[in-house]
Amino acid sequence: MTSELDIFVGNTTLIDEDVYRLWLDGYSVTDAVALRVRSGILEQTGATAAVLQSDTMDHYRTFHMLERLLHAPPKLLHQLIFQIPPSRQALLIERYYAFDEAFVREVLGKKLSKGTKKDLDDISTKTGITLKSCRRQFDNFKRVFKVVEEMRGSLVDNIQQHFLLSDRLARDYAAIVFFANNRFETGKKKLQYLSFGDFAFCAELMIQNWTLGAVGEAPTVPDSQMDDMDMDLDKEFLQDLKELKVLVADKDLLDLHKSLVCTALRGKLGVFSEMEANFKNLSRGLVNVAAKLTHNKDVRDLFVDLVEKFVEPCRSDHWPLSDVRFFLNQYSASVHSLDGFRHQTLWDRYMGTLRGCLLRLYHD
């Protein structure tokens, strides 16, 4: 008598999200097992410590083999060795390239070089993030930078295309790449209150309006300059910003600008008297920041200057955020009523971005 058996053989690669997180966080197998035991998994599953050890080691081996594919995510999609559903592939990629806020704040704006990598021991100690995780995150930043630095077109699109990241994570990486390329200072003590999200918001505005790839600028860009359109600031635009200095150098224009702003805001601003008394200093600060952006050092110190020249003076006079918004809107718009001023388009391109950044930097 014969018996018939139905047999199903599958080779889908199993991914335990919790173990993957422990691996990404840089824990050794021993530490990962201890943390899993502490979570109560043995009681929940009825498994033995030996089985848990073996299971953890098996997952770690899988992750190590997958890592080379994660360095170039499209390879993960097209390989045939690991049978992983598309939703799981997306999860593996997204979490591999995710980063810790505390870590990115320590390296944001620094050159992604061996010199910075040597500081990872100190960053690990300061942030409490394992050294292995710091290295993974740093290497991810550097890898993305190297892949996209010579590419034409949208920085965000290039990152999404080559690393298959979500829109939000791709935008974050675009900010990291943009800051690393332009070496913006973010580590000074007076900037420590700002989050990565604050800087990323400003980066997106600058990429959209101040780079070679900004809307309306591409047709005039020579082919030789096309490679870094979203990474490099438009040097011609920065040079032209010197023309704005007339707003504070010409006494009549400065007085008229002040008069227009004060007339529009009288009775609408809680700090009107403070604004009126400090208008010329604030205006000189904002315009002089623009005029200095032809020098690399002043570009790097952009956020330091904005905090020193605008945020701190307004804070010291206790401006609420709503008054800062009213002032910046009117300050920007009233320039269009200055008959003697002939750089309206340049002003709008500068102040449109600066206004957005200042409102983000101002925490009342």
Side-chain angles (χ1 to χ4, degrees), residues 160-200:
Q160 281 188 295
Q161 181 183 346
H162 288 82
F163 292 93
L164 309 180
L165 305 182
S166 66
D167 181 71
R168 182 63 268 159
L169 190 54
R171 290 181 184 280
D172 285 343
Y173 267 86
I176 292 165
V177 168
F178 181 70
F179 266 65
N181 186 61
N182 292 286
R183 306 285 300 282
F184 291 110
E185 173 62 59
T186 67
K188 292 281 179 68
K189 187 176 180 180
K190 64 179 58 193
L191 300 179
Q192 289 305 302
Y193 76 97
L194 295 170
S195 68
F196 168 73
D198 295 328
F199 286 117

Coordinates of all heavy atoms in Angstrom, one line a residue, residues 160-200:
Q160 N 16.8 59.0 -5.2 CA 15.7 58.0 -5.2 C 15.9 56.9 -6.2 O 15.7 55.7 -6.0 CB 14.3 58.7 -5.5 CG 13.7 59.4 -4.2 CD 12.3 59.9 -4.5 OE1 12.1 60.8 -5.3 NE2 11.4 59.3 -3.8
Q161 N 16.4 57.3 -7.4 CA 16.6 56.4 -8.5 C 17.7 55.4 -8.1 O 17.6 54.2 -8.5 CB 17.0 57.1 -9.7 CG 17.2 56.2 -11.0 CD 17.6 57.0 -12.2 OE1 17.5 58.2 -12.3 NE2 18.1 56.3 -13.2
H162 N 18.8 55.8 -7.5 CA 20.0 55.0 -7.3 C 20.0 54.3 -5.9 O 20.7 53.3 -5.7 CB 21.3 55.7 -7.5 CG 21.5 56.1 -8.9 ND1 20.9 57.2 -9.5 CD2 22.3 55.5 -9.9 CE1 21.4 57.2 -10.8 NE2 22.1 56.2 -11.0
F163 N 19.1 54.8 -5.0 CA 19.1 54.1 -3.7 C 17.7 53.7 -3.2 O 17.6 53.1 -2.2 CB 19.7 55.1 -2.6 CG 21.2 55.3 -2.8 CD1 21.7 56.3 -3.6 CD2 22.1 54.4 -2.3 CE1 23.1 56.5 -3.8 CE2 23.5 54.5 -2.5 CZ 24.0 55.6 -3.3
L164 N 16.7 54.0 -4.1 CA 15.4 53.5 -3.8 C 14.8 53.9 -2.5 O 14.1 53.1 -1.8 CB 15.3 52.0 -4.0 CG 16.0 51.4 -5.3 CD1 15.9 49.9 -5.3 CD2 15.3 52.0 -6.5
L165 N 15.1 55.1 -2.1 CA 14.6 55.6 -0.8 C 13.3 56.2 -0.9 O 12.9 56.7 -2.0 CB 15.6 56.6 -0.2 CG 17.1 56.1 0.0 CD1 17.9 57.2 0.6 CD2 17.2 54.9 0.8
S166 N 12.5 56.3 0.2 CA 11.3 57.1 0.2 C 11.5 58.5 -0.1 O 12.7 59.0 0.0 CB 10.6 56.9 1.6 OG 11.4 57.6 2.6
D167 N 10.5 59.3 -0.5 CA 10.7 60.7 -0.8 C 11.2 61.5 0.3 O 12.2 62.3 0.2 CB 9.3 61.3 -1.3 CG 9.4 62.7 -1.6 OD1 10.0 63.0 -2.7 OD2 8.9 63.6 -0.9
R168 N 10.7 61.2 1.5 CA 11.2 62.0 2.7 C 12.7 61.7 3.0 O 13.4 62.6 3.3 CB 10.3 61.6 3.9 CG 10.7 62.3 5.2 CD 10.4 63.8 5.1 NE 11.6 64.6 4.7 CZ 11.6 65.8 4.2 NH1 10.5 66.4 4.0 NH2 12.7 66.4 3.8
L169 N 13.0 60.4 3.0 CA 14.4 60.1 3.3 C 15.4 60.6 2.2 O 16.5 61.0 2.5 CB 14.6 58.5 3.5 CG 15.9 58.0 4.0 CD1 16.2 58.7 5.4 CD2 15.9 56.5 4.2
A170 N 14.9 60.5 0.9 CA 15.7 61.0 -0.2 C 16.0 62.5 0.0 O 17.0 63.0 -0.3 CB 15.1 60.7 -1.5
R171 N 14.9 63.3 0.5 CA 15.1 64.7 0.7 C 16.0 65.0 1.8 O 16.8 65.9 1.8 CB 13.7 65.3 1.0 CG 12.8 65.4 -0.3 CD 11.5 66.0 0.0 NE 10.6 65.9 -1.2 CZ 10.7 66.7 -2.2 NH1 11.6 67.7 -2.2 NH2 9.9 66.6 -3.3
D172 N 16.0 64.1 2.9 CA 16.9 64.3 4.0 C 18.4 64.1 3.5 O 19.3 64.8 3.9 CB 16.6 63.3 5.1 CG 15.4 63.7 5.9 OD1 15.0 64.9 5.8 OD2 14.8 62.9 6.6
Y173 N 18.6 63.0 2.7 CA 19.9 62.8 2.1 C 20.4 63.9 1.2 O 21.6 64.3 1.2 CB 20.0 61.4 1.4 CG 20.4 60.3 2.3 CD1 19.5 59.6 3.1 CD2 21.7 59.9 2.4 CE1 19.9 58.6 3.9 CE2 22.2 58.9 3.2 CZ 21.3 58.3 4.0 OH 21.7 57.3 4.9
A174 N 19.4 64.5 0.4 CA 19.8 65.6 -0.4 C 20.3 66.8 0.4 O 21.3 67.4 0.1 CB 18.6 66.1 -1.2
A175 N 19.7 67.0 1.6 CA 20.1 68.1 2.5 C 21.5 67.7 3.0 O 22.4 68.6 3.1 CB 19.1 68.2 3.7
I176 N 21.8 66.5 3.4 CA 23.1 66.1 3.9 C 24.2 66.3 2.9 O 25.2 66.8 3.1 CB 23.0 64.6 4.4 CG1 22.1 64.5 5.6 CG2 24.4 64.1 4.7 CD1 21.7 63.1 5.9
V177 N 23.9 65.9 1.6 CA 24.8 66.0 0.5 C 25.1 67.5 0.2 O 26.2 67.9 0.0 CB 24.3 65.3 -0.7 CG1 25.1 65.7 -2.0 CG2 24.3 63.8 -0.5
F178 N 24.0 68.3 0.2 CA 24.1 69.7 -0.1 C 25.0 70.4 1.0 O 25.8 71.2 0.7 CB 22.7 70.3 -0.1 CG 22.7 71.8 -0.4 CD1 23.0 72.3 -1.7 CD2 22.3 72.7 0.5 CE1 22.9 73.6 -2.0 CE2 22.2 74.1 0.3 CZ 22.6 74.5 -1.0
F179 N 24.7 70.1 2.3 CA 25.5 70.7 3.4 C 27.0 70.3 3.3 O 27.9 71.1 3.6 CB 24.9 70.4 4.7 CG 23.9 71.4 5.2 CD1 22.7 71.7 4.5 CD2 24.2 72.2 6.3 CE1 21.9 72.7 4.9 CE2 23.3 73.2 6.8 CZ 22.1 73.4 6.0
A180 N 27.2 69.0 3.0 CA 28.6 68.5 2.9 C 29.3 69.2 1.8 O 30.5 69.5 1.9 CB 28.6 67.0 2.8
N181 N 28.7 69.4 0.7 CA 29.3 70.0 -0.5 C 29.6 71.4 -0.3 O 30.7 71.9 -0.7 CB 28.3 69.8 -1.7 CG 29.0 70.3 -3.0 OD1 30.0 69.8 -3.4 ND2 28.4 71.4 -3.6
N182 N 28.8 72.1 0.4 CA 29.0 73.6 0.7 C 29.6 73.9 2.0 O 29.9 75.1 2.3 CB 27.6 74.3 0.5 CG 27.2 74.3 -0.9 OD1 27.7 75.0 -1.8 ND2 26.1 73.5 -1.2
R183 N 29.8 72.9 2.8 CA 30.5 73.0 4.1 C 29.9 74.0 5.1 O 30.6 74.8 5.7 CB 32.0 73.3 3.9 CG 32.7 72.3 2.9 CD 33.0 71.0 3.5 NE 33.8 71.2 4.7 CZ 35.1 71.4 4.7 NH1 35.7 71.4 3.5 NH2 35.8 71.5 5.8
F184 N 28.6 74.1 5.1 CA 27.9 75.0 6.0 C 28.3 74.7 7.5 O 28.2 73.5 7.9 CB 26.4 75.0 5.9 CG 25.9 75.6 4.6 CD1 25.4 74.7 3.6 CD2 26.0 76.9 4.3 CE1 24.9 75.2 2.4 CE2 25.5 77.4 3.1 CZ 25.0 76.6 2.1
E185 N 28.6 75.7 8.3 CA 28.9 75.5 9.7 C 27.6 75.3 10.4 O 26.6 76.0 10.3 CB 29.6 76.8 10.2 CG 29.7 76.8 11.7 CD 30.7 75.7 12.2 OE1 31.8 75.6 11.8 OE2 30.2 74.9 13.0
T186 N 27.5 74.2 11.2 CA 26.3 73.8 12.0 C 26.7 73.5 13.4 O 25.8 73.3 14.2 CB 25.6 72.6 11.4 OG1 26.4 71.5 11.5 CG2 25.2 72.9 9.9
G187 N 28.0 73.5 13.7 CA 28.4 72.9 15.0 C 28.7 74.0 16.1 O 28.9 73.6 17.3
K188 N 28.6 75.3 15.7 CA 28.9 76.3 16.8 C 27.8 76.3 17.9 O 26.7 75.9 17.7 CB 28.8 77.7 16.1 CG 30.0 78.0 15.1 CD 31.3 78.3 15.9 CE 32.4 78.6 15.0 NZ 32.3 79.8 14.2
K189 N 28.2 76.7 19.1 CA 27.4 76.6 20.2 C 26.0 77.3 20.0 O 25.0 76.8 20.4 CB 28.1 77.2 21.4 CG 27.4 77.0 22.8 CD 28.2 77.6 23.9 CE 27.4 77.4 25.2 NZ 28.2 77.9 26.4
K190 N 26.1 78.5 19.4 CA 24.8 79.2 19.2 C 23.9 78.6 18.2 O 22.7 79.0 18.0 CB 25.1 80.7 18.8 CG 25.8 80.8 17.4 CD 26.0 82.3 17.1 CE 26.9 83.0 18.2 NZ 26.9 84.4 18.2
L191 N 24.3 77.5 17.5 CA 23.5 76.8 16.5 C 23.0 75.5 17.1 O 22.2 74.8 16.4 CB 24.2 76.6 15.2 CG 24.7 77.8 14.5 CD1 25.5 77.3 13.2 CD2 23.6 78.7 14.1
Q192 N 23.4 75.2 18.3 CA 23.0 73.8 18.9 C 21.5 73.7 19.1 O 21.0 72.5 19.2 CB 23.8 73.6 20.2 CG 25.3 73.4 20.0 CD 25.6 72.2 19.0 OE1 25.1 71.1 19.2 NE2 26.3 72.6 17.9
Y193 N 20.8 74.7 19.2 CA 19.3 74.6 19.4 C 18.6 74.2 18.2 O 17.4 73.8 18.2 CB 18.8 76.0 19.9 CG 18.6 77.0 18.9 CD1 17.4 77.2 18.3 CD2 19.7 77.8 18.5 CE1 17.2 78.2 17.3 CE2 19.5 78.8 17.5 CZ 18.3 79.0 16.9 OH 18.1 79.9 15.9
L194 N 19.3 74.2 17.0 CA 18.6 73.9 15.8 C 18.7 72.4 15.5 O 19.8 71.8 15.8 CB 19.3 74.7 14.6 CG 19.1 76.2 14.7 CD1 20.1 76.8 13.7 CD2 17.7 76.6 14.4
S195 N 17.7 71.8 15.0 CA 17.6 70.4 14.7 C 18.0 70.1 13.3 O 18.1 71.1 12.5 CB 16.2 69.9 14.9 OG 15.3 70.4 13.9
F196 N 18.3 68.9 13.0 CA 18.6 68.5 11.6 C 17.4 68.9 10.7 O 17.6 69.4 9.6 CB 18.8 67.0 11.5 CG 18.8 66.6 10.0 CD1 19.9 66.9 9.2 CD2 17.7 65.8 9.5 CE1 19.9 66.5 7.8 CE2 17.7 65.5 8.2 CZ 18.8 65.8 7.3
G197 N 16.2 68.8 11.2 CA 15.0 69.1 10.4 C 15.0 70.6 10.0 O 14.6 71.0 8.9
D198 N 15.5 71.5 11.0 CA 15.6 72.9 10.7 C 16.5 73.2 9.5 O 16.2 73.9 8.6 CB 16.1 73.7 11.9 CG 15.1 73.6 13.1 OD1 13.9 73.6 12.8 OD2 15.5 73.6 14.2
F199 N 17.7 72.5 9.6 CA 18.7 72.7 8.5 C 18.2 72.1 7.2 O 18.4 72.7 6.1 CB 20.0 72.1 8.9 CG 20.8 72.9 10.0 CD1 21.0 72.4 11.2 CD2 21.2 74.2 9.7 CE1 21.7 73.1 12.2 CE2 21.9 74.9 10.6 CZ 22.2 74.4 11.9
A200 N 17.6 70.9 7.3 CA 17.1 70.3 6.1 C 16.0 71.1 5.4 O 16.0 71.2 4.1 CB 16.5 68.9 6.4

